[in-house]
Amino acid sequence: MSTTPNITPFSREGRRRIAHTIQYGALVAVAWLLARLGVDRASALMGRAWRLLAPLNKRHARVDAHLAAAFPDWTAERRREVIGDMWENLGRTAAETILLPELLAEAETRIDWSGLPGGILEPARSGAIFVSLHTGNWEIVSWPMAAIGLPLHAIYKPLRNPAVERWLAEKRRALYGDGLLPIDRSITLKIKTLAKAGATVAILADQKDHSGFELEFFGRRAGATTFPAILARRLDLPLFAGRSIRTNGAHFRIDGRWLEVPKTDDPHADAETLTRAIHAVYEEWISEYPAQWMWAHRKWL
């Protein structure tokens, strides 16, 4: 007897597939329209749309509360200004992600990484952990490593829609030519194997991790992932923190720094120490350009 599930348009699986098909079709249609506009106009249009419409989302109030707690001396008017700029940055980033190949084709004029001194990335040729955060356009923060030919992988949480997932993975291929690694139970073993081969692994590490630990972030209890620090400590790899800064429209500056990986007799304590150091850098960077970070995260406890 066949065990194939009975999938109809009215079953849960059928409705899911229909929704995924509609989502994918809408994405392709939007991508077609944005491509007709070009990177600059598409980025500006999406930025204005998000600035106008995003305040209707329930996350808007969460963003305001987070900013009020992080910067208690700010006026409500100052918060409104920063929140508007934040939504615009996120809208621009969405458009630029859809047009990522077109943006990278003009990387020489759009992405300035002269702030990274010559040779600073060379230690990564023997393997490294690269951490960043959701600021500026975080999709292009790995560009300097890709540009000098470093073998680069990225760890990410895959989307639920497989068609959209494949579509976006193809867009990111120029940045992570060695592959995107979805988070699963075997991820540590995969990274260990890659690191031994001299690969650099990129991770966005500013979100809350329920399996991580608590630290102080902007004066409040926050959740943090120790995963990058654990990898660097366990695999004896250097760790680089990088960021993207939006300078003018769809133009960016990238900089960063190597962080010391502690090595004592207590690997667990070393990972927590390094995670705190990473978040101290994040707090410094976010304070410098508060409108460019994604304040909608449920970062705080």
Side-chain angles (χ1 to χ4, degrees):
M1 181 179 294
S2 174
T3 59
T4 302
N6 182 24
I7 299 175
T8 71
F10 303 103
S11 67
R12 178 179 298 180
E13 178 62 19
R15 293 195 302 271
R16 185 185 67 84
R17 291 188 179 186
I18 291 172
H20 284 179
T21 299
I22 293 173
Q23 291 167 5
Y24 177 70
L27 176 62
V28 171
V30 170
W32 182 88
L33 173 61
L34 295 181
R36 305 285 80 75
L37 296 174
V39 174
D40 289 310
R41 287 191 296 172
S43 173
L45 175 63
M46 193 76 87
R48 286 195 294 269
W50 278 54
R51 179 184 284 272
L52 177 65
L53 298 175
L56 303 177
N57 188 290
K58 63 182 180 181
R59 294 185 179 184
H60 188 80
R62 183 194 306 166
V63 172
D64 187 56
H66 287 170
L67 280 171
F71 302 101
D73 57 327
W74 281 11
T75 63
E77 181 179 359
R78 171 62 172 149
R79 293 199 306 273
R80 282 195 297 271
E81 177 186 348
V82 168
I83 294 172
D85 291 346
M86 183 208 71
W87 287 130
E88 178 173 336
N89 181 70
L90 292 178
R92 283 180 172 274
T93 299
E96 292 153 5
T97 299
I98 291 173
L99 299 180
L100 194 54
E102 292 85 344
L103 188 155
L104 294 178
E106 302 170 353
E108 187 173 343
T109 57
R110 291 189 181 277
I111 305 176
D112 174 17
W113 47 290
S114 59
L116 296 174
I120 190 174
L121 297 177
E122 287 303 309
R125 292 197 182 276
S126 299
I129 303 298
F130 183 97
V131 297
S132 189
L133 69 167
H134 291 83
T135 191
N137 182 329
W138 55 91
E139 294 286 354
I140 55 94
V141 71
S142 299
W143 174 249
M145 291 190 174
I148 64 175
L150 285 172
L152 189 63
H153 299 259
I155 297 175
Y156 78 111
K157 184 178 180 180
L159 300 174
R160 294 181 179 178
N161 187 324
V164 173
E165 170 66 28
R166 289 191 295 271
W167 191 88
L168 285 176
E170 183 61 31
K171 296 289 182 181
R172 293 172 171 138
R173 186 179 297 277
L175 287 172
Y176 307 107
D178 279 24
L180 292 163
L181 303 173
I183 296 175
D184 58 26
R185 293 180 179 179
S186 64
I187 190 66
T188 302
L189 180 59
K190 291 177 183 176
I191 293 173
K192 185 175 182 179
T193 302
L194 293 169
K196 288 182 177 178
T200 292
V201 179
I203 308 171
L204 286 166
D206 56 332
Q207 292 180 293
K208 182 170 66 176
D209 182 355
H210 295 290
S211 63
F213 84 114
E214 295 181 15
L215 48 65
E216 187 174 287
F217 194 58
F218 283 95
R220 300 162 62 201
R221 290 170 52 245
T225 176
T226 57
F227 186 57
I230 288 173
L231 290 174
R233 175 63 177 80
R234 181 179 299 174
L235 303 179
D236 195 26
L237 294 174
L239 185 142
F240 188 87
R243 64 169 170 173
S244 161
I245 304 163
R246 186 179 300 277
T247 54
N248 180 30
H251 293 80
F252 312 91
R253 185 173 79 250
I254 295 175
D255 62 22
R257 66 188 74 162
W258 291 102
L259 300 183
E260 181 181 356
V261 179
K263 296 177 183 178
T264 70
D265 294 333
D266 189 342
H268 181 75
D270 289 345
E272 292 192 353
T273 297
L274 181 52
T275 302
R276 288 190 179 92
I278 293 169
H279 277 70
V281 172
Y282 287 172
E283 186 170 331
E284 173 193 333
W285 286 347
I286 294 167
S287 296
E288 189 175 0
Y289 297 99
Q292 295 198 26
W293 190 57
M294 191 188 294
W295 287 92
H297 284 165
R298 291 186 182 274
K299 179 70 174 174
W300 287 273
L301 303 174

